[in-house]
Amino acid sequence: MIRLFQSGKFWLRFAVYGTLAAAAAAFGLYFLLHHLFDGRRIQALADDAVRGTGRTVRFSTDIGRSWLPRPTLTLRDVAVSKPNSRADAVHIGEMRIGLSWRSLWNGAEIEKWVLQNADAELTRRADGSWSLQDLWQPRGRTWHVN
């Protein structure tokens, strides 16, 4: 057994198979990440979040994804429209949403939510409500923000 570990052939096989296994795992994780954070799936979740408000959510097709330090989705040029209009009520240059590892299997928990270059039009209506107040009403899938 000790001769096996001293063999150059053993270590060469170990290095080759180890490298192949690591490369296969990296490719598998890359494709899993693109499947989980698919553009159509993200758009469906965004549409579900604003359902019933008359608003639409648009974002760039340039979607960033990363695994570490947590599964993170980066959306660019995010725009939320005014109710029943194409005009923007909210425009965000870049939004990074970091999910907890646990949320990949059972539930939806946002650990980190970073907005950059955000611009929002917030006005108070005659009835005392705010123009963006309907965005805070729970509907669809509920996400827990940590």
Side-chain angles (χ1 to χ4, degrees):
M1 186 65 156
I2 292 178
R3 295 179 133 232
L4 177 66
F5 292 125
Q6 293 174 350
S7 166
K9 188 192 284 188
F10 168 78
W11 289 111
L12 179 62
R13 283 185 187 162
F14 182 77
V16 169
Y17 289 131
T19 303
L20 287 175
F27 283 121
L29 287 173
Y30 174 79
F31 287 115
L32 178 64
L33 188 66
H34 279 269
H35 172 71
L36 290 175
F37 295 145
D38 181 51
R40 291 180 300 245
R41 187 174 181 182
I42 296 164
Q43 186 65 54
L45 288 170
D47 291 341
D48 189 41
V50 296
R51 181 170 290 126
T53 63
R55 297 178 186 270
T56 59
V57 177
R58 299 180 315 273
F59 49 86
S60 171
T61 57
D62 180 25
I63 299 171
R65 303 158 179 99
S66 67
W67 276 115
L68 298 173
R70 65 185 59 83
T72 302
L73 170 69
T74 303
L75 300 175
R76 292 172 183 82
D77 293 325
V78 179
V80 179
S81 72
K82 294 178 181 178
N84 304 315
S85 173
R86 298 265 315 146
D88 293 345
V90 178
H91 183 268
I92 302 166
E94 182 176 281
M95 177 168 53
R96 287 191 306 270
I97 304 169
L99 303 174
S100 70
W101 285 100
R102 197 175 15 189
S103 68
L104 295 178
W105 293 278
N106 62 350
E109 182 178 351
I110 297 174
E111 276 190 357
K112 190 171 186 178
W113 197 347
V114 179
L115 306 175
Q116 291 182 339
N117 300 328
D119 184 27
E121 180 181 314
L122 183 63
T123 57
R124 192 166 192 139
R125 298 183 185 129
D127 65 355
S129 65
W130 293 94
S131 59
L132 298 177
Q133 187 172 344
D134 58 339
L135 293 176
W136 282 273
Q137 305 302 320
R139 69 188 136 271
R141 185 177 182 184
T142 58
W143 290 80
H144 173 70
V145 178
N146 184 359

